[in-house]
Amino acid sequence: MSATDRNKPEHYDVIVKPIITEKATLTGETSNAVVFQVAKSATKPMIKNAVEALFGVKVKAVNTTITKGKTKRFRGRPGVRSDVKKAYVSLEAGNTIDVNTGL
């Protein structure tokens, strides 16, 4: 294994987990898209390659957003939740991903 192979992130390092919320489910039903939490360093081409390799589907587009962490109180002291990067992955017609089943 060369040094470039060790530094290159694997597909499971890019996609952290699927996001299953009411908004994400509605997005999936209306526009044939799936929402994933991804690594903050992940780029759109990396996300596209990872989804196509892991799920065997054809990706049409990838949109990303970074949600800044909220300030909350933990045990009476102020703290900050970590930032989260989300990827809205639009799929080609005829392709679907069932996020309720495991990988």
Side-chain angles (χ1 to χ4, degrees):
M1 180 184 284
S2 66
T4 56
D5 289 339
R6 255 183 270 124
N7 295 337
K8 192 164 75 171
E10 294 294 323
H11 299 308
Y12 286 107
D13 296 333
V14 174
I15 296 177
V16 177
K17 64 181 179 180
I19 296 178
I20 305 170
T21 60
E22 189 173 354
K23 182 178 179 182
T25 306
L26 188 64
T27 303
E29 292 172 356
T30 57
S31 62
N32 196 23
V34 185
V35 183
F36 293 103
Q37 180 179 339
V38 296
K40 283 187 213 158
S41 60
T43 61
K44 289 181 182 184
M46 289 168 55
I47 296 167
K48 180 179 178 180
N49 292 337
V51 170
E52 288 180 347
L54 292 175
F55 297 102
V57 295
K58 189 71 178 153
V59 174
K60 181 168 42 170
V62 176
N63 294 329
T64 59
T65 179
I66 296 177
T67 305
K68 300 296 181 187
K70 294 181 177 180
T71 302
K72 293 286 187 175
R73 297 187 74 79
F74 297 107
R75 296 185 180 175
R77 296 206 167 117
V80 180
R81 289 184 181 171
S82 57
D83 298 344
V84 176
K85 185 171 187 176
K86 298 178 193 174
Y88 291 83
V89 180
S90 300
L91 303 175
E92 295 281 347
N95 292 311
T96 58
I97 295 176
D98 186 16
V99 292
N100 296 329
T101 60
L103 289 176

